[in-house]
Amino acid sequence: MTGRLFRRVEVAGRVVDVRTDRTRITEIGQELRPRDETVIDGGGGALIPGLHDHHLHLLAMAAARASVDLSEARTPEDLRQALATQAQTTPEGTWIRATGYHEAPDRPPLERGFLDRCCPRHPVRVQHRGGALWVLNSSALAQVPLDDSPDVDRGPDGAPTGRLFRYDERLRGRLPREAPDLAAVGAELNRLGLTRVTDATPDLDPAAIGLLTDAVRTGRLPVELTLLGAPTAPPPAGFRLGPEKLLLPDHRLPPFDELCARVEAAHAHGRAVAVHCVTRESLILTLAALDQSGPLAGDRIEHCAVAPPDLYPRLQNRTVVTQPAFLRDRGDDYRREVHPDDVPWLYPYRSLLDAGVEVLPSSDAPFGPLDPWQVLRCARDRTTRDGHRLGAGEAVETRVALAGYVRGRTVEVGQPADLVLLHEPLRAALRDPDAALVRTTFGPAPR
């Protein structure tokens, strides 16, 4: 049996039956007669298109599951205890990887000396929660070739502090290769109702692309996969080729002419670009480069974390991919650390839509919460952990954020058959979005 018959499911406010084959919805009506197919009684729950997370990092998600989580480490002692505890059960000389670390104004930056004291017998690398910074201890630094670029932070004596910016590609060849548990990532996506993902990792090498496409082919990642970091040629196999990811290092923005050349090179191959922008300065630089190079359908701004309204006219005909859940997870830090002039324009949503800009919600997992239902709540509430509301006028209804997750797909004949069955009607689900509402997820047929 290759098809499905959904009995008594809510679609567009009506309770109907829906029939699908392996790839498409083939019939919608009342009391459809079963054939040689799987019959699923929806009990009046909503049947909606599978959700699409428009910006995440699959291999980093898999790695984070095997890492020490430092997101709740509020003091140096919390950090020391978490790493030391991991060291007790890790064979001497084996790498320890930690994620989620956040620096705070009331304590000194994390450097190798502190990590040496925490774990003197292990190479250690700690990733900042934003993903751009790694901090290595002395044992780890001894195994990694360092260049003379500003990406390697050095002290007054010229010795490396252990702080490496945007160094992932240069680290990769010197780190232990471990098979990522993409099946666990796939199970989590399935549980949350995600059937489509756009991996926004830049500069994916053939090995990484092979890991991802093999996981899709074997069903360990039951999703339709779009890659931003795959090369334009050769033609893709097992994934969709998205806009080309252009990563602008926040600590060292590229020269204007260099960014223009990168945009023009992608456009010359008929490929849009997806440009990482988390500061006002990076957004202004990006928009100037896009204006200089000329528009191409599909050009995207990733994050658009600070966007004052005077820039909105230049964002029209481009797509903004935003992460509302950062306001909850990091909003209290933003209130303390972001320049006061930028706080009102953090992760705008409603005003961008009103200005005619397409906005797509996403998670940036593992650097932000993956749960799309939490993202819906955050887009509506815009409330920090401490209860402060940031940019109340930028709030959007949960149905608006959900529309971004499905991006024009509907439950109609001819539409794709990757679907999500909820326990409740949609109106009730959107009043209080929660992952527990997902009853079953039906991913796309393998490509």
Side-chain angles (χ1 to χ4, degrees):
M1 293 187 293
T2 59
R4 299 186 180 96
L5 176 62
F6 297 91
R7 305 295 300 269
R8 298 194 304 135
V9 291
E10 184 208 48
V11 174
R14 298 171 52 237
V15 176
V16 295
D17 297 346
V18 176
R19 172 171 283 125
T20 71
D21 60 18
R22 291 183 69 254
T23 62
R24 295 283 167 183
I25 297 170
T26 59
E27 190 175 5
I28 297 177
Q30 301 287 342
E31 299 185 8
L32 299 181
R33 182 170 298 179
R35 301 172 184 167
D36 183 21
E37 57 198 354
T38 301
V39 178
I40 300 157
D41 189 339
L47 187 68
I48 63 173
L51 306 185
H52 185 162
D53 191 316
H54 299 281
H55 183 122
L56 48 64
H57 305 270
L58 291 165
L59 293 173
M61 289 167 62
R65 297 177 70 91
S67 302
V68 182
D69 182 7
L70 300 179
S71 59
E72 298 301 323
R74 302 301 182 196
T75 67
E77 177 57 25
D78 292 340
L79 182 64
R80 186 203 66 78
Q81 187 170 18
L83 292 171
T85 298
Q86 181 64 36
Q88 292 174 2
T89 59
T90 302
E92 186 173 326
T94 301
W95 281 77
I96 293 175
R97 185 185 195 275
T99 61
Y101 170 73
H102 173 57
E103 297 181 333
D106 60 349
R107 58 178 184 257
L110 182 63
E111 296 187 348
R112 68 172 178 169
F114 180 86
L115 295 180
D116 288 345
R117 294 188 291 274
C118 293
C119 302
R121 297 182 177 86
H122 299 81
V124 178
R125 55 184 176 127
V126 176
Q127 188 179 41
H128 187 273
R129 72 178 182 186
L133 169 68
W134 285 100
V135 186
L136 279 62
N137 70 351
S138 297
S139 177
L141 285 172
Q143 302 182 44
V144 174
L146 301 181
D147 58 33
D148 295 327
S149 75
D151 300 334
V152 179
D153 185 58
R154 297 180 184 274
D157 60 355
T161 65
R163 297 164 63 82
L164 308 178
F165 294 88
R166 293 295 178 195
Y167 224 75
D168 294 71
E169 188 174 356
R170 286 164 282 183
L171 282 172
R172 198 171 290 129
R174 296 301 179 120
L175 297 175
R177 286 277 185 173
E178 298 179 358
D181 188 1
L182 290 170
V185 172
E188 182 72 357
L189 296 170
N190 188 277
R191 181 183 71 82
L192 296 170
L194 290 160
T195 65
R196 301 176 179 218
V197 299
T198 295
D199 188 289
T201 308
D203 303 318
L204 290 169
D205 61 26
I209 294 172
L211 287 170
L212 294 171
T213 54
D214 182 67
V216 171
R217 179 183 58 81
T218 59
R220 288 175 293 137
L221 278 177
V223 296
E224 180 178 283
L225 175 64
T226 299
L227 298 181
L228 304 186
T232 301
F239 64 92
R240 294 181 182 274
L241 188 64
E244 181 176 343
K245 177 69 175 289
L246 302 184
L247 182 61
L248 307 189
D250 309 318
H251 67 293
R252 182 168 54 89
L253 293 175
F256 176 68
D257 289 346
E258 177 185 317
L259 181 56
C260 286
R262 295 177 68 188
V263 172
E264 289 166 4
H267 284 185
H269 288 95
R271 189 173 179 187
V273 293
V275 189
H276 169 99
C277 293
V278 297
T279 64
R280 183 192 293 246
E281 292 77 14
S282 62
L283 179 59
I284 291 172
L285 175 67
T286 295
L287 291 175
L290 291 174
D291 291 343
Q292 174 78 14
S293 305
L296 185 66
D299 283 340
R300 298 175 19 154
I301 305 296
E302 308 298 308
H303 310 300
C304 203
V306 179
D310 60 294
L311 297 178
Y312 289 4
R314 298 166 67 190
L315 285 166
Q316 291 177 349
N317 301 316
R318 290 156 183 157
T319 298
V320 166
V321 182
T322 188
Q323 294 83 34
F326 280 159
L327 296 171
R328 177 182 181 276
D329 265 28
R330 307 181 185 182
D332 295 306
D333 295 327
Y334 292 156
R335 293 178 63 247
R336 291 188 296 268
E337 299 168 16
V338 171
H339 192 284
D341 290 346
D342 287 340
V343 170
W345 318 121
L346 286 170
Y347 292 96
Y349 206 140
R350 167 55 62 190
S351 60
L352 284 171
L353 291 175
D354 289 345
V357 180
E358 181 184 43
V359 183
L360 301 178
S362 65
S363 68
D364 198 20
F367 310 111
L370 174 65
D371 184 350
W373 307 93
Q374 180 177 335
V375 173
L376 298 188
R377 294 195 303 273
C378 293
R380 176 191 65 192
D381 300 337
R382 299 182 66 88
T383 304
T384 73
R385 289 179 183 269
D386 288 349
H388 298 279
R389 202 163 189 218
L390 293 178
E394 296 296 337
V396 298
E397 298 175 4
T398 52
R399 64 172 180 81
V400 173
L402 179 65
Y405 268 107
V406 301
R407 201 187 190 188
R409 287 177 291 123
T410 57
V411 179
E412 295 182 281
V413 172
Q415 287 280 315
D418 53 307
L419 300 165
V420 178
L421 178 60
L422 304 181
H423 285 290
E424 297 183 7
L426 187 57
R427 182 186 295 271
L430 291 179
R431 277 199 301 268
D432 187 19
D434 193 292
L437 292 164
V438 176
R439 174 175 159 184
T440 316
T441 301
F442 304 89
R447 296 187 68 183

